[in-house]
Amino acid sequence: MNTAGRLGLYALGLAVVFGGALGAGNALGDTGAVTAGAKAPAAHGEPAAHGQQNAHGQQNAQGHGDAAQAGSEDTPGGLQVSENGYTLVPLTGEIRPGEPADFRFAVTGPGGGNVTDFETRHDKRLHLIVTSRDLTTFQHVHPEMSADGVWTVKLTLPEAGPYRAFADFAPTGGPALTLGADVFVAGGYTPRPLPAAARTASVDGYTVELAGDLVPGRSSRLTLKVAKGGAPVTDLQPYLGAYGHLVALRGGDLAYLHVHPDGEPGDGVTEPGPEIVFYAQAPSGGDYRLFLDFQHEGKVRTAAFTVHAGSPGAAPEPGGTPAGTPSAGPADHDDQGAHSH
């Protein structure tokens, strides 16, 4: 072959290589940051990371297809900023310790734009949990959404250091999700160790006792009993459609487990205290931090516990049942009522 022929074949080879690279780049899409109102890259085919659980810890996978359901059983919520095409996009700049700030964020959907249509779950369209990375501070707040899909809430983070924000929501027609993103507060930071495990917590003159254990891979019954001044509290007030809300975060990576109690106010069965019963399933063994929100005398208070989930082979404690097996407790108060990620 003459020189001109060889050069022609070489040029054709380069065209094939670069053409293939361009096609792959177009298939992957733009990987740049997303801002408010901008189009986010679609994540079609991305498997769900978790599914819903009812009050007894049973999985109700809400992903799309078998791959999504398989992923929902493997990955707890809150560990990903993007899932099933939905992405949590923080929009707030510098935050200073102890100073109120307008914390802003958006949720973009599979089409790339900001999501503006959400299901109302537990009286709110979105629940925002913010905790320090060392799990020593905790806030459960409810932002307001503007017409363009940007959420805003006044947030005061008490100390410098890293925090984790969890957005818990269900877009209309889509899966219930918990997405997580890191938030940083400027200044020097010294992490504290996880508080010691305990069965009793005190807050604002109230004492809360915990009975039951987290067992990895199994549904476990957790009973929290509220007292004030040594007397049982029998007139707890409904808060977000329940007598209590429980969030558990795994030490280390802050995997998110969110459950609600059996029953609901006004169902003719559930008493307003002193006991609040939950069914929860830990994704693995290890240390967890539990945060119980309850309302009494017109004020919401939070009691915090550190617990250890035993080995997966351990026998379930009394009242617990293997995962996926119905328990003898009251029926769930709705299909989203108690969910665990």
Side-chain angles (χ1 to χ4, degrees):
M1 180 179 294
N2 60 27
T3 302
R6 286 196 297 270
L7 288 175
L9 288 176
Y10 179 69
L12 177 61
L14 287 177
V16 171
V17 171
F18 286 110
L22 178 60
N26 288 338
L28 289 173
D30 183 6
T31 57
V34 180
T35 58
K39 296 294 184 181
H44 301 296
E46 182 177 309
H50 60 277
Q52 290 296 101
Q53 288 184 347
N54 62 21
H56 307 301
Q58 296 170 259
Q59 284 285 347
N60 294 321
Q62 300 193 34
H64 304 290
D66 294 338
Q69 294 186 24
S72 72
E73 297 173 357
D74 296 334
T75 306
L79 297 181
Q80 300 182 111
V81 71
S82 184
E83 180 183 347
N84 277 1
Y86 296 90
T87 302
L88 174 61
V89 185
L91 301 172
T92 301
E94 184 178 19
I95 299 176
R96 296 185 178 277
E99 296 182 8
D102 287 329
F103 184 71
R104 302 169 64 249
F105 63 93
V107 176
T108 60
N114 292 349
V115 179
T116 58
D117 196 2
F118 295 82
E119 301 283 355
T120 297
R121 301 163 67 242
H122 315 298
D123 297 341
K124 300 292 181 179
R125 292 182 296 172
L126 185 144
H127 300 260
L128 185 71
I129 306 297
V130 182
T131 180
S132 56
R133 271 279 176 181
D134 60 14
L135 295 176
T136 57
T137 69
F138 174 89
Q139 296 184 48
H140 178 175
V141 295
H142 301 102
E144 294 293 330
M145 187 188 72
S146 60
D148 62 357
V150 174
W151 296 86
T152 304
V153 65
K154 189 70 72 175
L155 200 61
T156 302
L157 300 179
E159 298 177 343
Y163 291 75
R164 187 73 171 170
F166 302 93
D168 184 344
F169 62 91
T172 300
L177 299 170
T178 299
L179 302 180
D182 288 331
V183 178
F184 299 94
V185 177
Y189 167 63
T190 301
R192 291 184 288 266
L194 199 67
R199 292 283 182 176
T200 302
S202 298
V203 55
D204 291 345
Y206 292 81
T207 300
V208 182
E209 295 182 1
L210 169 66
D213 298 290
L214 282 176
V215 179
R218 291 183 176 144
S219 178
S220 304
R221 178 187 172 103
L222 302 176
T223 302
L224 293 114
K225 186 175 182 179
V226 183
K228 181 181 182 182
V233 174
T234 59
D235 57 346
L236 291 172
Q237 297 167 323
Y239 172 61
L240 302 176
Y243 286 126
H245 295 262
L246 185 66
V247 171
L249 297 171
R250 182 168 61 188
D253 63 357
L254 275 62
Y256 181 96
L257 178 71
H258 189 183
V259 297
H260 287 276
D262 256 357
E264 64 180 349
D267 63 6
V269 176
T270 306
E271 298 290 338
E275 294 184 347
I276 314 171
V277 177
F278 300 85
Y279 287 85
Q281 182 172 320
S284 71
D287 291 326
Y288 289 78
R289 191 76 169 150
L290 306 185
F291 299 94
L292 172 71
D293 288 334
F294 65 95
Q295 181 167 267
H296 188 241
E297 296 180 349
K299 183 177 179 180
V300 177
R301 297 167 174 85
T302 303
F305 301 82
T306 298
V307 300
H308 184 80
S311 63
E317 44 82 28
T321 57
T325 302
S327 176
D332 303 339
H333 57 273
D334 59 42
D335 60 348
Q336 305 284 353
H339 64 278
S340 166
H341 304 286

